[in-house]
Amino acid sequence: MTLSQSFIQAWQIWINAHHPFYHSRNRRFNAPTYSAELILDHNATHLYSLGLAAIEGKAWNYPQLAREALAEIDHAIEELNECAVGETEKAEIREYISLTRNLLSELIKLKSNHQS
């Protein structure tokens, strides 16, 4: 499997981006954005594994796995939209979501060695 330049660029941007999971990582269960952050935090761990597997050339079904991760992102967006927080806090999370979606769209384009 050959990785595209666009995948490598999306990976580098995402891996170096700020991951806004303050409340999730600090177990602030009552924070308005906690549910959305928890979903995104879990998704980030999964996405990190997917990205490394792709870089290592592992033959996984990246399109399917990325689509499943996108469904989780959609759920996080629903949770975020219901939060009673200011747009500044939401904007930071939305920026992260945008970078994540970009990386997932690159993973969808990948074909592992066992796929036709």
Side-chain angles (χ1 to χ4, degrees):
M1 172 176 51
T2 303
L3 298 177
S4 68
Q5 186 63 34
S6 58
F7 169 81
I8 294 167
Q9 183 179 18
W11 172 257
Q12 290 174 338
I13 291 170
W14 182 83
I15 202 73
N16 290 306
H18 171 67
H19 294 199
F21 312 138
Y22 311 114
H23 305 302
S24 172
R25 297 238 169 126
N26 292 306
R27 299 178 185 227
R28 295 185 180 140
F29 306 115
N30 294 327
T33 58
Y34 178 79
S35 293
E37 289 181 32
L38 185 63
I39 294 166
L40 294 171
D41 195 1
H42 176 267
N43 185 275
T45 301
H46 181 65
L47 185 50
Y48 182 79
S49 297
L50 287 177
L52 285 182
I55 291 166
E56 293 170 358
K58 293 185 179 176
W60 291 2
N61 188 343
Y62 297 103
Q64 177 184 343
L65 295 167
R67 285 185 186 95
E68 291 169 3
L70 277 171
E72 291 178 9
I73 294 291
D74 290 342
H75 184 234
I77 291 169
E78 290 171 9
E79 292 288 330
L80 183 63
N81 288 339
E82 294 176 10
C83 291
V85 295
E87 284 304 312
T88 303
E89 190 171 354
K90 286 182 180 182
E92 181 180 27
I93 295 171
R94 286 187 178 122
E95 173 62 25
Y96 169 79
I97 288 171
S98 176
L99 297 175
T100 301
R101 281 185 176 281
N102 187 46
L103 179 55
L104 287 168
S105 70
E106 292 300 324
L107 280 167
I108 287 171
K109 296 175 191 175
L110 295 180
K111 299 277 189 236
S112 66
N113 295 333
H114 74 279
Q115 294 174 318
S116 53

